[in-house]
Amino acid sequence: MVFKRMMQALGVGGPSVDTVLTNPNTYPGGYLEGHVHVVGGDHAVDIEYVAIGLMTRVEVESGDSEYQSNQEFHRQRLTGSFKLEPGVRHDVPFRFEVPWQTPITEVYGQHLHGMTMGLATELEVARAVDKSDLDTVAVHPLPAQERILNALLQIGFRFSKADVEQGRVYGVEQHLPFYQEIEFYPPPQYAGGINQLELTFLPTPQKLQVVLELDKRGGVFTEGHDAFGSFDVDYASADQIDWVSRLDQWLRQSASRRGLFF
């Protein structure tokens, strides 16, 4: 009996948890729906709560070094405390709101290289927290984001990779402690002046904030440096703008003001 109680204290024979998403595809400001199935083990337990959280991989700078950290940035408690009898199944439905500034992971049906996004389930049993594996989530761009991405591709920019970086972006409304950078290789007409273009989206319910960074190509006697710029997009009128022309003009003007020439 003492051995059995000890095994129970270690979690052996305890409850199992499984999360099933109705649809793993979503978008910034959207939602995820599904069920968490909790099944009792071989002894009764007191469940303190069931919670789910959205997680992504973030690059963190610390002094002169960098490391990656899996960070939960939005969470929702699904239940309060309840008693789970042996072998009994407890189903918990949920509707989980996705934050507006959640990084995107998919573009035109293809996974964005460098991105990780998942929904983690947490079950607390008598002060012992059990976390399930990540259920992969695909975050697709909003229509306004898609139009800007499509325009950059039409101009000739090519996807390089994406990452999520800890920190703040100056001069914009930011809700999370990190931001996403989507990196592009420049087309031939820009290649003489810049190494790459970095794009950051920071959507809000009212507008899409767009931040662009041009990484200047250094010369033999000069160091490269970055040029920043930002603008807001109104969701209602985003489809009425010639983004190819607008972005090309903006990039050239922004670069020229900062001494970059193509």
Side-chain angles (χ1 to χ4, degrees):
M1 181 63 69
V2 173
F3 178 73
K4 184 175 182 180
R5 285 201 297 268
M6 183 177 71
M7 295 298 284
Q8 290 177 1
L10 293 172
V12 177
S16 63
V17 59
D18 181 37
T19 300
V20 179
L21 290 169
T22 304
N23 185 347
N25 297 285
T26 187
Y27 52 88
Y31 59 88
L32 293 163
E33 291 183 323
H35 288 79
V36 177
H37 306 304
V38 184
V39 180
D42 59 13
H43 56 275
V45 294
D46 292 320
I47 306 293
E48 298 295 332
Y49 64 81
V50 178
I52 53 177
L54 201 55
M55 300 185 70
T56 191
R57 185 173 297 138
V58 179
E59 288 193 4
V60 182
E61 289 190 8
S62 179
D64 295 331
S65 62
E66 291 185 355
Y67 64 91
Q68 292 190 333
S69 170
N70 290 330
Q71 294 189 16
E72 180 182 272
F73 60 94
H74 186 56
R75 109 189 233 107
Q76 181 177 329
R77 226 183 235 219
L78 304 182
T79 73
S81 60
F82 63 94
K83 193 174 190 67
L84 185 64
E85 298 296 336
V88 172
R89 173 168 162 157
H90 190 77
D91 289 342
V92 185
F94 65 84
R95 180 183 172 97
F96 181 88
E97 293 186 357
V98 176
W100 274 90
Q101 294 183 358
T102 298
I104 62 174
T105 67
E106 314 294 315
V107 178
Y108 301 114
Q110 299 295 317
H111 182 72
L112 201 52
H113 177 67
M115 291 303 305
T116 299
M117 188 72 61
L119 194 69
T121 307
E122 186 174 288
L123 181 73
E124 181 169 323
V125 183
R127 296 174 300 281
V129 176
D130 178 31
K131 292 188 177 182
S132 71
D133 293 335
L134 283 180
D135 292 287
T136 301
V137 171
V139 184
H140 298 264
L142 296 164
Q145 291 173 311
E146 197 167 64
R147 288 185 176 90
I148 290 172
L149 289 167
N150 186 54
L152 287 173
L153 294 179
Q154 288 185 51
I155 292 171
F157 285 92
R158 295 177 293 116
F159 286 117
S160 170
K161 62 183 179 68
D163 61 21
V164 178
E165 299 190 8
Q166 188 89 10
R168 312 293 300 182
V169 179
Y170 177 76
V172 296
E173 181 181 343
Q174 186 175 342
H175 303 154
L176 299 174
F178 53 70
Y179 58 93
Q180 181 182 36
E181 281 190 344
I182 305 174
E183 299 179 7
F184 295 84
Y185 296 117
Q189 65 268 31
Y190 290 156
I194 62 173
N195 286 320
Q196 65 182 12
L197 169 69
E198 295 175 352
L199 167 67
T200 294
F201 288 127
L202 291 165
T204 73
Q206 294 77 32
K207 62 185 179 183
L208 172 63
Q209 301 171 114
V210 182
V211 180
L212 294 169
E213 178 180 345
L214 299 174
D215 181 14
K216 181 180 179 181
R217 187 181 298 279
V220 177
F221 302 107
T222 60
E223 293 185 1
H225 61 267
D226 299 332
F228 295 88
S230 65
F231 59 89
D232 295 339
V233 179
D234 176 51
Y235 295 120
S237 60
D239 60 348
Q240 302 169 16
I241 296 173
D242 179 356
W243 284 109
V244 171
S245 175
R246 180 73 61 87
L247 285 171
D248 185 65
Q249 181 183 31
W250 186 92
L251 286 167
R252 291 180 181 278
Q253 289 177 348
S254 179
S256 178
R257 285 197 300 268
R258 291 163 176 82
L260 281 68
F261 302 98
F262 307 130

